[in-house]
Amino acid sequence: MSTYAELQAQIKKLQEQAEQVKAKELETVIAEIKKKISEYDLTAEQLGFASTSKKTTKKATAKDSTVMYKNGDLTWSGATRGRKPDWVKEILEAGGDIEEYRVK
């Protein structure tokens, strides 16, 4: 029967061997994966990896949901920070009432 220390030494030796085998196999696995990605023209998004464009899209969607004024395809959140869009300025300068364009 082995002692605890002997078993721990065997475990350590086996772990080192496993890491060596893994390192050798990893090269082949990576090469196979790269080949498939290239063969099928896969994107990071298709593989389930996060992309920055998704985050940007989510932020844009959140902003779109706060539209208070709309004139055709033109929209404005009504935010007090920043500049008013040109289409809003034109309406106000012409004496128009921006409230007529409020989204209900």
Side-chain angles (χ1 to χ4, degrees), residues 56-89:
T56 303
T57 303
K58 286 181 183 177
K59 287 180 184 176
T61 303
K63 287 181 184 177
D64 290 343
S65 66
T66 60
V67 170
M68 290 181 63
Y69 302 95
K70 186 170 182 165
N71 183 10
D73 290 338
L74 304 172
T75 60
W76 180 43
S77 68
T80 56
R81 292 176 31 195
R83 298 178 352 170
K84 289 180 180 139
D86 289 337
W87 70 271
V88 172
K89 288 180 191 176

Side-chain angles (χ1 to χ4, degrees), residues 26-85:
L26 197 56
E27 292 177 24
T28 304
V29 169
I30 291 172
E32 290 172 2
I33 292 170
K34 285 182 177 181
K35 180 181 175 188
K36 292 293 183 184
I37 289 171
S38 177
E39 184 178 331
Y40 290 95
D41 293 322
L42 298 173
T43 65
E45 190 172 305
Q46 289 173 313
L47 295 172
F49 298 112
S51 69
T52 57
S53 63
K54 267 189 174 179
K55 292 178 184 177
T56 303
T57 303
K58 286 181 183 177
K59 287 180 184 176
T61 303
K63 287 181 184 177
D64 290 343
S65 66
T66 60
V67 170
M68 290 181 63
Y69 302 95
K70 186 170 182 165
N71 183 10
D73 290 338
L74 304 172
T75 60
W76 180 43
S77 68
T80 56
R81 292 176 31 195
R83 298 178 352 170
K84 289 180 180 139

